[in-house]
Amino acid sequence: MSPTEPKTPTPASVEGPAGPAGQRSPKRGPGRGSSLTQNTMPWWIGPVVLAAAAVLGAALSSLITFSLALWFIFTAVLYVLISYVITRLRVNRRKATDGFWRNLVYLAFIIALLPLVSVIWSVTSVGLPGLLEPGFFASDMQGIDGSIDQQSQEEGTPVLGGIRHALIGSLLITIAATLISVPIGLMTSIYLVEYSRGGTLARAITFFVDVMTGIPSIVAGLFGGAAMAWFLSVGSSMGLPLPSRSTMGITAAIALSVLMIPVVVRTTEEMLRVVPNELREASYALGVRKWRTILKVVIPTAISGIAAGVTLAIARVIGETAPILVTAGFVVSTNWNLVQGWMTALPVYIFRQFQNPTSPNFSDPSHQRAWAAALVLILIVMLLNLTARIIAKVFAPKKTGR
């Protein structure tokens, strides 16, 4: 046969070692299953292991002293260990190790979530009845005394008195603090990012902002009270018609602005640094001045992060108690004037209802008001955080194709 002549296939070459042509089966190693089910476990393994761990955890916790916390700990530990052993025996070591650390991450997340769920459940279950009382949002504590609370507790009549004055005070003080803090924080961040070159002044500003971030809230309250008292004394010596006492809403706003400014500076600074330099350079190439580039290009690009940071800063200070108690005092009636008279905020209202009930011998109505006000405060904070996320998503730069 010549080298160029095609070879005639033999039966052996057609069938091959695995049988007839077209019916070759894949090679399988010893003890191996199908390639589609290799290194996998049935879906029901996880629920079965969890149920077994729960039963064993209940039995072990009963041997000591049964409690939900102890049962949860035993169940979690047993589930992680049993899952690791089964995966190690049935699959391989790599899968078992991966599943072990993944379960630890899930467990850490659940543990971190438990306090939040516990707080929300406790405040909601106890405070919701007070929140549903008629007139809770529309009335204040003017005219509410111990006899009214005694009658409410003994005879089951509706609990009178509400949070209108505290809610209005919190909103006015927080809005004033925001109006003070946002311009200062925004201007400071613009200087640090756009104008400073890492000099002595920029390093000093960064250092003091870091110090202000960790300042105790009571110190901010003392500073606000002292600053307002000095301002009133200087103004009075000049013959200006100023209030005689520094305890008022604007003083509390100044104290809260001390806590808000570092948060606004940090978040705004990070957002401005994220803006690409190419946008600035393109604006400069068109002959646009620096201040106009910052106003028309840089800030609109970073506005979503800036707005979200400001909203989170508001959520940070709206629940402060100590600085408002020191600077704004406590009053049972509604006060709309920030620069005259005492003013009540929600955190101070909650504190006073717990600490000094309207009727010391019949404290249930006061506690009901306090829990309901705490629920309102939590809802406000959650709403602010949700608003920050919505703002960041709506005002984020949109990616458009050509």
Side-chain angles (χ1 to χ4, degrees), residues 17 25 102 108 226 234 261 267 355 360:
S25 58
R102 184 173 62 251
V234 172
I261 287 174
T267 55
Q355 190 71 17

Side-chain angles (χ1 to χ4, degrees), residues 165-166 168-180 220-221 224-225 228 232 243 245-258 317 320 323-331 333-345 348:
H165 61 307
I168 292 174
S170 289
L171 293 178
L172 292 177
I173 292 173
T174 306
I175 291 173
T178 304
L179 294 177
I180 296 172
M228 182 57 67
L232 293 179
R245 302 188 62 176
S246 61
T247 307
M248 50 187 173
I250 192 64
T251 310
I254 295 174
L256 293 183
S257 66
V258 176
V317 301
E320 291 291 344
I324 300 179
L325 185 62
V326 172
T327 55
F330 177 79
V331 67
S333 59
T334 304
N335 179 18
W336 291 85
N337 193 349
L338 280 170
V339 295
Q340 187 68 47
W342 291 11
M343 184 173 286
T344 302
V348 178

Side-chain angles (χ1 to χ4, degrees), residues 5-243:
E5 186 177 348
K7 296 182 180 180
T8 302
T10 61
S13 63
V14 172
E15 294 183 0
Q23 300 181 6
R24 297 176 61 89
S25 58
K27 294 182 179 181
R28 298 182 181 178
R32 298 288 184 177
S34 172
S35 60
L36 297 178
T37 59
Q38 186 177 344
N39 294 339
T40 60
M41 290 193 303
W43 63 270
W44 48 266
I45 291 292
V48 169
V49 171
L50 181 60
V55 173
L56 292 176
L60 291 176
S61 60
S62 299
L63 294 177
I64 304 175
T65 300
F66 183 81
S67 64
L68 290 178
L70 196 61
W71 172 68
F72 173 78
I73 293 174
F74 280 127
T75 301
V77 172
L78 289 173
Y79 175 76
V80 172
L81 295 179
I82 295 174
S83 298
Y84 175 80
V85 172
I86 292 177
T87 308
R88 178 72 179 270
L89 295 176
R90 184 177 177 84
V91 187
N92 54 42
R93 179 180 179 182
R94 182 178 61 83
K95 288 280 188 179
T97 305
D98 177 73
F100 175 78
W101 289 106
R102 184 173 62 251
N103 289 332
L104 287 183
V105 171
Y106 291 157
L107 180 61
F109 171 74
I110 294 174
I111 293 175
L113 201 62
L114 284 178
L116 175 62
V117 175
S118 176
V119 168
I120 293 177
W121 171 256
S122 300
V123 176
T124 303
S125 60
V126 181
L128 190 58
L131 197 67
L132 299 178
E133 288 287 346
F136 181 72
F137 290 97
S139 61
D140 51 29
M141 296 297 293
Q142 184 73 29
I144 304 300
D145 55 17
S147 61
I148 296 177
D149 281 0
Q150 178 179 354
Q151 182 180 4
S152 299
Q153 184 170 339
E154 290 181 343
E155 301 179 7
T157 57
V159 177
L160 303 180
I163 61 169
R164 183 182 65 180
H165 61 307
L167 190 59
I168 292 174
S170 289
L171 293 178
L172 292 177
I173 292 173
T174 306
I175 291 173
T178 304
L179 294 177
I180 296 172
S181 305
V182 172
I184 297 175
L186 183 59
M187 295 298 179
T188 304
S189 302
I190 290 175
Y191 170 77
L192 291 176
V193 176
E194 302 294 337
Y195 289 97
S196 70
R197 295 293 183 268
T200 304
L201 180 59
R203 292 197 299 270
I205 292 175
T206 303
F207 172 76
F208 284 113
V209 167
D210 292 339
V211 172
M212 291 176 63
T213 304
I215 191 173
S217 59
I218 186 63
V219 176
L222 294 175
F223 166 79
M228 182 57 67
W230 175 83
F231 175 77
L232 293 179
S233 64
V234 172
S236 299
S237 64
M238 298 173 60
L240 298 177
L242 297 176

Side-chain angles (χ1 to χ4, degrees), residues 274-295:
V274 170
V275 177
N277 286 328
E278 289 79 3
L279 296 178
R280 300 180 177 89
E281 294 170 356
S283 179
Y284 298 151
L286 295 175
V288 182
R289 294 180 179 273
K290 189 178 185 68
W291 68 270
R292 195 170 183 83
T293 299
I294 296 172
L295 188 63

